[in-house]
Each structure stands twice: as C-alpha cells, then as structure tokens.
Amino acid sequence: HHSSNSRSNNNNNTPGSTTGKEEEELLILIEKWLQGTDPEILSYACWTLSHWCDGPSPQIASVVNNTRSTKSFVPRLVELLSHKVWRVTKPALRTIGNIVCAEGTDGDYTQVILEEQAVPKLTSLIQHSNREIQKEACWTLSNIAAGTVDQIQAVLEAGAIPPLVQLVSSEEDPEVRSEACWVVLNATSCGSDAQIDWLVQEGCVSVLGVLLEEVSMVMMALEGLERVLQVEESHCRLLFACNQDSSSTNNPNTTISPQPLVPALLIERALDGGQSSAVTKRASRIWNHHFVSCALCQRSFSKHFHETNFCEECKCHVCLGCNCQIYHLSYQEELWAATEETEHNNKNAQANGAKKKKKSRKAKKKEKKLQKEQEEAEAQKEEQQAQREEEERQLQQVIVEEEQEDVPKGTHSTANSSSSSKDDNDRRQKDGDIPPKERHPPVDFVSYLQQTNSIIALAKLMDALEYDEDENNEGNETSNLEANAPHISS
C-alpha cells in the first residue's frame, strides 16, 4: 500500500501504555461522544480515534470490529465524512485513512470501509474547498486502489477517476496533485485488463505522463505505462488473430485496429530526461519491447499494430508510408540502366535537335538571301523605271522648250497661204532643201494671240520669224556662190 508520511494534527498526545480495562473504558467514552452533535466534541473524539488507529493492529481491530463493550465505529465515521463542519470531517477522514492503510491480522479492514459505502463520499471530498481534506481523500483512495480488483472496481464505479484527472491537470499544490496521481498509479499497477481499459478511457495515461516529470515518481510512472502497454499488446494479439480468422472465412465484420494507448513520446521523454541509470535501463527495455522507429522518416510506431515491416535486405524497420526499395541493389541497378538509357536518348535528341537547328538556320539564311535578291531586283527595277521616267520627262521638257523657241518664217495673211507654205515646206523637207532649223510646224498666229492676249508678243514673234527667214536666205545664197565658184587646184 501507499504509506503516508508522518502527519501532524492539533492534538499531539499519543496513546501510551494502558491496560485492557482502561482501553475499554476509553472506547466506551469515545462512542458516547460520537453520538452527540457538538462539532467541537465530535472533532476531539475523531482525533482521538485517529491517533488510536495509528497504533498496532489490535487497537485498529477494536475500532473496526464489534467488541463486548462497543460496536464498530466505522459506520459513524463514514457518516461524519459528510458533516458540514470541516473540523469534524478532517479527523474522521484521517481515521478512515489510517484504517485503510493498516494491515489487519484478523481481516481486511479496507473491505469493511467499502461495505459502509465510504468510497462515494471520499470521491465527493476530492473537490472539497479545503486543501488538507482534498489531500487526505486522495491519500485514502490511493490505498483503496492498491487493494484487490474488487476494491479498485469500487473506486472506478464511484466515478473517482475523472475528478482526479482534472485535479492533476489543474491543481497547483504539488502535494495534492501527487496524492491524486497515486490513485491512478496504484489502480493502473494493480488493476485487471478491463480496468486498465477503463482507466485509459478516463485519461489515466496523461496522469502517468505528469508523474514522469517528478524524479521520485519516474520509476512508478514507467511501471504504470508498461502495464498499459502490456494490456495493449494482449488486445492487439487477440485482435490480429480475429482479423486472420475473419479474412479466412470471408467475414466482412472485421474489427478496426484501435489507436495506440501510450504515445511513444512519453517513453522517449524518460529516455532523454537524463535520469538515473535504472530509469534509463527500464525505459529502454520498454521502448525496445513495444516501440520501433522507421529508419527513413525517423517516426516512432507501436509494434502492436503492424505499422512497420522489417526489411531483410536493409536490416532495418520501415513504416508503411516509406519505401526502402530505392536503396536495394536490384533497384539501383534498374535505376542505373534507366538513367543510362535516358541519357542516351537525351544525347540523340540533342543531336537531332542540333541537326534540325542547323538545317533550319541554312533554310533561313537561304530564304533571307533570296529575299534580299528579290528586294535588290525590285529596287533596281524601280530605279530603272525612275530613270526612264526622268529621261522621258527631260525629253518632254526639251520638246516643249524647242516648241517655245521655234517660230514660223514669213507673214501669212490667209489660211490658203499658210496651207501652201506648209505644203512647200513639206516638199522642201522631202527634197532635202530646207535646213533643220526651218523644219518646224507652222505657227497659228490667231491661237497665239488668244493664248497670250498681247499684240506686242505677237509682233515680236512675227519679227523673229522674219529674222530667221532672212538668215536662211543669206545662207542659201552663200552656199550657191560657193558651189558655182571655179575649183582651183594646188
């Protein structure tokens, strides 16, 4: 059982050596006091019994059992647990706690307390406003939870675990929290597999995790966690066997594997906490038996749920989410061959691409050359066309200028004379008598006057024509004289 440390109270007197008659008289007097209603008297009577039950086993037996002079004090003590004055509740609770942790030679004193329905009242005291009463209630329940399976079941059925778990997670007083943890720890260490499942569902694993942080409680916490892991292993084996039978009989009602009851992180915390060698050794044993790490992702898994496989080639554990085949020699050979083939294909593709690019560059170069030649031809054609147009324009301009400079010779009074003059000129041109300067079209003086609107311009034109005619006549006479002159030889 979980034994209490030395406790102090307001009455420091302890029972001395007394005779049997004096003890009997004292118990009769205490029984009489307990029947009263005065809180102060009840408090002193309970404190007296508390000290009395802190003695040897015969003294405790005289309080628990009926004697020839008194009845059992237990029913009244259990009744006083619900007293409205805490100064009465506390010594009554202390007395029951001393009875529970005692080892009786003539019977199980704890069972007597349970038969008086003390556990539900102890459970209600877990949430009492007085810190000392909270601690005493947890201490008493921890000793009951260290008993038989039936006694642990009484604690579970009384609903004591949920408020204890809440007390562990929220209580700031280390003594109260420690006593609450002891209840869960003793129930876990001594309970049956079914009770372990009950405790796990009520959140006892988190309480054991809190105990791992206390140096003095690490070994006890590891013991409780190992007990939970053993139950989990047993359940998983049975579940795996049932699944095998279901698959062989084609039974669709296959049970789904539960989640791990104990996270691997708790055991890793004990391994990495820098504890004593004994703690490290036990934590390592628990880890090696119940957990395994994936060699690839480094995650931790429970061995009970077949979430990992042992690779014979790699000689390591690998989880179902990882694939170690990429490290196998056969895979590496296949990968090497595939890589070589890929590189060969890439080289061929690059070579073909280079050829295509080369052909494409030649084609583009040829196309640019043809385009350039076409552009040059078009430019040359345009230049020639512009040159012809320029020559035609210059020729036209010369013709216009010559037409403006050329004027008709002689004065023509009538149209007939103009027509006859034109006929004479044509005839002379055919005969070759008229010089090139005289071979110009006849001038229409009327049209010229209409165009210029100037009689002076017309007069000048007529004078110019007469001047040209005179020069032509003089030239003809000179030519005739030279032709008729005698030739004198040298």
Side-chain angles (χ1 to χ4, degrees), residues 61 68 79 84 125 160 163 166 176 195 200 219 244-245 270 286 328 367 373 376 410 416 432 456 459 461:
R68 61 183 181 177
E79 183 181 354
K84 60 182 179 179
L125 293 178
Q166 182 179 3
V176 176
Q195 290 172 344
V200 170
M219 290 296 291
Q244 291 291 333
D245 294 339
I286 295 173
H328 294 177
E367 184 179 355
E373 290 177 353
E376 290 177 353
N416 291 331
I456 298 173
L461 176 60

Side-chain angles (χ1 to χ4, degrees), residues 12-235:
N12 293 325
N13 296 327
T14 57
S17 59
T18 56
T19 63
K21 185 177 181 180
E22 291 175 343
E23 292 179 359
E24 186 176 352
E25 292 176 356
L26 177 60
L27 291 176
I28 292 173
L29 183 60
I30 293 174
E31 183 181 27
K32 182 180 178 180
W33 289 345
L34 288 177
Q35 300 304 319
T37 58
D38 184 84
E40 187 174 0
I41 296 177
L42 290 174
S43 176
Y44 279 110
C46 289
W47 277 120
T48 303
L49 285 178
S50 171
H51 288 288
W52 185 266
C53 292
D54 200 17
S57 181
Q59 291 184 183
I60 300 174
S62 64
V63 175
V64 175
N65 300 327
N66 295 325
T67 64
R68 61 183 181 177
S69 302
T70 59
K71 295 182 179 180
S72 173
F73 289 89
V74 173
R76 180 57 176 166
L77 290 172
V78 172
E79 183 181 354
L80 291 177
L81 291 177
S82 303
H83 199 278
K84 60 182 179 179
V85 179
W86 69 270
R87 295 185 181 277
V88 177
T89 302
K90 181 178 178 180
L93 177 60
R94 171 69 67 84
T95 304
I96 291 177
N98 289 338
I99 294 173
V100 169
C101 71
E103 296 182 1
T105 57
D106 55 349
D108 188 357
Y109 300 151
T110 302
Q111 191 62 34
V112 176
I113 299 297
L114 265 65
E115 290 174 356
E116 295 297 332
Q117 303 300 316
V119 176
K121 293 187 177 183
L122 291 172
T123 301
S124 64
L125 293 178
I126 294 174
Q127 299 175 334
H128 199 276
S129 58
N130 186 279
R131 187 189 67 85
E132 289 293 331
I133 292 179
Q134 278 185 309
K135 184 174 68 173
E136 292 288 343
C138 292
W139 172 70
T140 304
L141 286 172
S142 69
N143 285 299
I144 296 175
T148 64
V149 172
D150 292 336
Q151 292 170 358
I152 295 173
Q153 189 65 28
V155 175
L156 298 178
E157 292 177 353
I161 301 302
L164 286 171
V165 174
Q166 182 179 3
L167 190 65
V168 171
S169 61
S170 61
E171 180 59 41
E172 296 181 357
D173 192 314
E175 293 183 357
V176 176
R177 189 170 69 171
S178 177
E179 295 296 343
C181 289
W182 269 108
V183 182
V184 176
L185 183 59
N186 288 341
T188 305
S189 301
C190 305
S192 63
D193 290 358
Q195 290 172 344
I196 298 298
D197 292 337
W198 189 330
L199 289 167
V200 170
Q201 293 177 2
E202 297 291 347
C204 77
V205 175
S206 63
V207 177
L208 297 176
V210 172
L211 290 175
L212 287 175
E213 300 176 358
E214 300 183 12
V215 178
S216 61
M217 303 292 292
V218 174
M219 290 296 291
M220 299 300 296
L222 287 175
E223 180 182 349
L225 291 173
E226 187 175 16
R227 180 75 181 93
V228 174
L229 289 170
Q230 291 172 352
V231 173
E232 180 185 73
E233 182 180 11
S234 176
H235 288 346

Side-chain angles (χ1 to χ4, degrees), residues 30 39 45 51 103 127 139 149 158 239 310 349 385 388 394 409 411 417 421 423 431 440 442 458 460 462 480:
I30 293 174
H51 288 288
E103 296 182 1
Q127 299 175 334
W139 172 70
V149 172
L239 181 62
F310 183 79
Q385 181 67 22
R388 284 195 299 267
Q394 292 178 359
K409 293 184 172 50
T411 303
S417 64
S421 175
D423 292 339
D431 297 337
H440 53 76
L458 179 59
K460 289 182 179 181
M462 294 175 69
N480 292 329

Side-chain angles (χ1 to χ4, degrees), residues 384-417:
Q384 292 176 356
Q385 181 67 22
Q387 186 176 358
R388 284 195 299 267
E389 291 178 355
E390 179 66 21
E391 291 176 353
E392 292 177 357
R393 186 186 64 79
Q394 292 178 359
L395 181 60
Q396 187 67 26
Q397 184 177 1
V398 170
I399 294 172
V400 172
E401 290 178 354
E402 289 181 352
E403 288 178 351
Q404 291 178 357
E405 291 176 357
D406 292 341
V407 290
K409 293 184 172 50
T411 303
H412 306 278
S413 58
T414 60
N416 291 331
S417 64

Side-chain angles (χ1 to χ4, degrees), residues 407-425 440-446 462 465-466 469:
V407 290
K409 293 184 172 50
T411 303
H412 306 278
S413 58
T414 60
N416 291 331
S417 64
S418 175
S419 178
S420 61
S421 175
K422 181 179 181 182
D423 292 339
D424 295 337
N425 290 333
H440 53 76
V443 178
D444 189 352
F445 299 109
V446 178
M462 294 175 69
L465 290 175
E466 290 178 355
E469 186 177 357

Side-chain angles (χ1 to χ4, degrees), residues 296 311 313-314 318 322-332:
L296 298 182
C311 179
E313 184 169 349
C314 298
V318 181
C322 296
N323 183 13
C324 66
Q325 292 183 356
I326 60 176
Y327 301 102
H328 294 177
L329 179 59
S330 58
Y331 179 85
Q332 292 296 327

Side-chain angles (χ1 to χ4, degrees), residues 231-469:
V231 173
E232 180 185 73
E233 182 180 11
S234 176
H235 288 346
C236 288
R237 287 179 178 176
L238 180 61
L239 181 62
F240 183 73
C242 293
N243 289 341
Q244 291 291 333
D245 294 339
S246 299
S247 60
S248 61
T249 57
N250 296 325
N251 185 4
N253 297 323
T254 303
T255 306
I256 301 175
S257 298
Q259 295 294 326
L261 301 180
V262 179
L265 182 63
L266 292 180
I267 309 302
E268 292 174 355
R269 187 187 305 171
L271 284 171
D272 301 335
Q275 304 292 341
S276 64
S277 59
V279 172
T280 303
K281 184 177 180 180
R282 182 157 192 172
S284 178
R285 186 189 69 186
I286 295 173
W287 171 267
N288 293 332
H289 186 77
H290 298 282
F291 296 97
V292 68
S293 293
C294 175
L296 298 182
C297 65
Q298 302 300 319
R299 293 169 57 195
S300 301
F301 297 91
S302 174
K303 290 183 177 180
H304 309 151
F305 296 96
H306 304 283
E307 295 178 313
T308 60
N309 295 318
F310 183 79
C311 179
E312 293 294 341
E313 184 169 349
C314 298
K315 302 300 180 183
C316 63
H317 291 275
V318 181
C319 69
L320 301 180
C322 296
N323 183 13
C324 66
Q325 292 183 356
I326 60 176
Y327 301 102
H328 294 177
L329 179 59
S330 58
Y331 179 85
Q332 292 296 327
E333 291 176 349
E334 294 177 359
L335 181 62
W336 178 265
T339 303
E340 289 289 331
E341 184 178 359
T342 303
E343 291 180 355
H344 180 69
N345 294 335
N346 290 338
K347 288 181 180 179
N348 292 338
Q350 290 177 359
N352 294 333
K355 290 180 180 179
K356 290 181 179 179
K357 288 182 179 179
K358 188 174 181 181
K359 291 180 180 180
S360 177
R361 286 196 298 267
K362 288 183 177 180
K364 289 182 179 179
K365 188 175 180 180
K366 186 176 181 180
E367 184 179 355
K368 289 182 178 179
K369 184 176 180 181
L370 293 174
Q371 185 177 0
K372 185 176 181 181
E373 290 177 353
Q374 291 177 358
E375 291 177 354
E376 290 177 353
E378 291 179 359
Q380 187 177 3
K381 186 184 294 184
E382 291 177 356
E383 184 179 354
Q384 292 176 356
Q385 181 67 22
Q387 186 176 358
R388 284 195 299 267
E389 291 178 355
E390 179 66 21
E391 291 176 353
E392 292 177 357
R393 186 186 64 79
Q394 292 178 359
L395 181 60
Q396 187 67 26
Q397 184 177 1
V398 170
I399 294 172
V400 172
E401 290 178 354
E402 289 181 352
E403 288 178 351
Q404 291 178 357
E405 291 176 357
D406 292 341
V407 290
K409 293 184 172 50
T411 303
H412 306 278
S413 58
T414 60
N416 291 331
S417 64
S418 175
S419 178
S420 61
S421 175
K422 181 179 181 182
D423 292 339
D424 295 337
N425 290 333
D426 291 340
R427 188 171 54 252
R428 292 172 60 187
Q429 287 179 2
K430 289 179 181 179
D431 297 337
D433 297 335
I434 300 176
K437 289 184 179 182
E438 294 179 3
R439 295 174 187 173
H440 53 76
V443 178
D444 189 352
F445 299 109
V446 178
S447 297
Y448 185 83
L449 180 61
Q450 291 176 353
Q451 291 177 2
T452 59
N453 293 324
S454 174
I455 193 65
I456 298 173
L458 179 59
K460 289 182 179 181
L461 176 60
M462 294 175 69
D463 290 340
L465 290 175
E466 290 178 355
Y467 176 76
D468 291 339
E469 186 177 357

